[in-house]
Amino acid sequence: MEKTRFHKHVAIYLRISQEKRNENEETLKNHREILVEHAKAINCTYDIYGEVISGGKSNIEDRLELQRLFNNIENYDAILCIELSRLSRNGLISQTVKQYCMDFDKPIITPFYEYDLANNENDRLMFDLGSLIASHEHGVIGKRSKINKIQMSKAGLHVSGNVPFGYVRNNETKKLEINDKEAKIVRYIFDLHSSGLGSFKIREILNKEGYKTKKNNHFELPTIKRIIKNPVYKGTIVFNDRKRKKKDGKFVYEIVETIVVDKAHPWIISPEEWERANQDCLERAKNARQFREKPAIKTGYTMLKDLIYCGVCGRKMTIRKDNKNTSTYTIKRCEYLLIGGEKCQNCGIKLEFVENEVYDELQEYKNKLTESLRMIQLNDETKLKNQLTERLVKVEKKLKDVLRQQKRLIDFAVEGIFTTEQIREKKQELLTLQQNLEKEKKDLLNEINNPSFENITKNIQGVIHSIENLKNMNTVEVNQTLKTFIKKIFYTRVIPAELLVKSTQNKQRRYYPYQLEFEYKK
């Protein structure tokens, strides 16, 4: 490749498709090595952006690493990739890439050619032609793959998704065969279920006894429920032919045809036993709807619906209606597992206690906003900047912690503490958090350097007005209003083990304190 411009620092973008069986971590590693060697050959330093996702996806929101590259594009002299199709096989995203490169005057480099999109009309034409071919190829491959999958499914072959736990796929016959070690665990799950145990207890037993999933993870509730409901274990192949449609402004997949083939492969659970287990699931669900506590989504709104998050593991917490008193709601104990496999210890509490504290916190928040408004009206720019600077320090501290966690992921991978899948999921989670924090930092810096008192005043007055009128709103209106300026409320109540063994009527246990941490929208 003839190099047309001098580059010091480039962004290496790597992507492998999650749909192609022949593309895996090894492919990503090979591409990385090729591009790193090329960057060194042209005397460039580099940063790497890599993700595992279909190139045909049309939503830029799904392309987290590509978005991160766009956010940092001014830091680089060029984008380096294996070929244009690695940037995207979707015409819309390809044009977005092209526009960014033109707006910021950043060429795209491959080991074979350099596309100077901002200054060379021929390069723009070649880019458009290459993107058109990649998009067309993606469509043709997709249609051919779907037809092939339908025919293979009708023949009782395993063609879609990952190989189910308990089986291996014979690559010659393309049939599922029993994995004896995993099949024993599947039978154990059905045995525990048939003895009357629910998914929570089954999860606890499996993890306590040291059983692991195919990816060497601890068993989670959805995994156990999927195993019990999956007809593959009675020897049946089910394939759903789906069509992508846009509905209410969003893309959804609608099932066009369902192909069901019985006796497609050896069963782990006899069809009769599988049917009994799933009929039992239906009966339990029916009884649960009648007698157990019901999710708030089925019984109406609460003022904190979708706002309460676990202060230990960060997941959204469930609010349920009390079956003894239909006017009482409870924040349920966190049901998730931590990375080490142990259960999250965050305990629940009556919702009304938390609601009352939220109202108290909002009054304090209103007082702080009122003081900020007073400072603005007095044109006390110094005090306002100090407040913004304090917020900036907190954001920078969180950002450093995220970057530190990203570096630790490498150590975890080397030491084998996490699986490749866990590393990938955690990395994407941290990258998303990093993006949000970097944007917040950028916004704060803009406010500090160029404070727009008019906009700030209008926003503060809006929040103050909302807080003052909460008492005049119904529950739905309160919930919707809170969501306009509160992002998350982190709730933490970890009761010591010595208190948990006491009766729920024990005063120490019953009134054990909790903490709330508010994350406001900026």
Side-chain angles (χ1 to χ4, degrees), residues 210-352:
Y211 292 107
K212 296 292 181 68
T213 66
K214 191 181 287 287
K215 294 180 180 178
N216 201 37
N217 296 330
H218 297 282
F219 277 91
E220 295 276 9
L221 292 177
T223 306
I224 294 167
K225 291 177 179 178
R226 279 196 299 267
I227 287 175
I228 294 172
K229 293 180 180 180
N230 195 341
V232 74
Y233 296 110
K234 64 172 181 173
T236 300
I237 286 286
V238 177
F239 177 77
N240 291 317
D241 179 17
R242 304 184 304 168
K243 187 173 183 179
R244 189 168 181 257
K245 292 183 178 180
K246 197 165 189 179
K247 202 170 185 179
D248 299 328
K250 294 182 179 181
F251 284 106
V252 296
Y253 286 92
E254 292 185 353
I255 297 175
V256 178
E257 178 187 10
T258 298
I259 298 167
V260 179
V261 181
D262 293 321
K263 299 179 181 179
H265 51 264
W267 48 256
I268 294 175
I269 305 299
S270 71
E272 296 77 18
E273 184 183 352
W274 188 91
E275 294 293 346
R276 281 197 303 271
N278 279 269
Q279 184 60 40
D280 186 45
C281 283
L282 293 175
E283 291 296 327
R284 293 185 190 183
K286 183 179 178 181
N287 292 334
R289 284 194 295 271
Q290 293 176 356
F291 301 110
R292 281 172 48 189
E293 297 168 336
K294 299 176 182 180
I297 193 170
K298 293 183 180 179
T299 53
Y301 265 76
T302 65
M303 67 172 277
L304 299 181
K305 180 180 181 293
D306 296 329
L307 284 172
I308 300 294
Y309 286 77
C310 178
V312 178
C313 69
R315 269 83 163 241
K316 187 186 292 185
M317 299 194 74
T318 301
I319 298 174
R320 293 182 183 270
K321 180 174 281 189
D322 194 322
N323 65 311
K324 296 179 182 178
N325 185 345
T326 56
S327 63
T328 302
Y329 286 89
T330 302
I331 298 176
K332 296 294 290 182
R333 177 174 181 159
C334 187
E335 299 171 347
Y336 291 95
L337 293 182
L338 303 179
I339 290 178
E342 65 273 18
K343 290 190 292 186
C344 183
Q345 298 299 312
N346 205 9
C347 297
I349 200 169
K350 280 188 177 180
L351 182 64
E352 64 177 305

Side-chain angles (χ1 to χ4, degrees), residues 100 184 365 370 381 390 395 420 431 454 497:
Y100 264 91
K184 288 180 181 178
Y365 186 56
T370 302
E381 187 175 331
E390 286 179 13
V395 170
T420 304
L431 286 174
E454 183 179 347

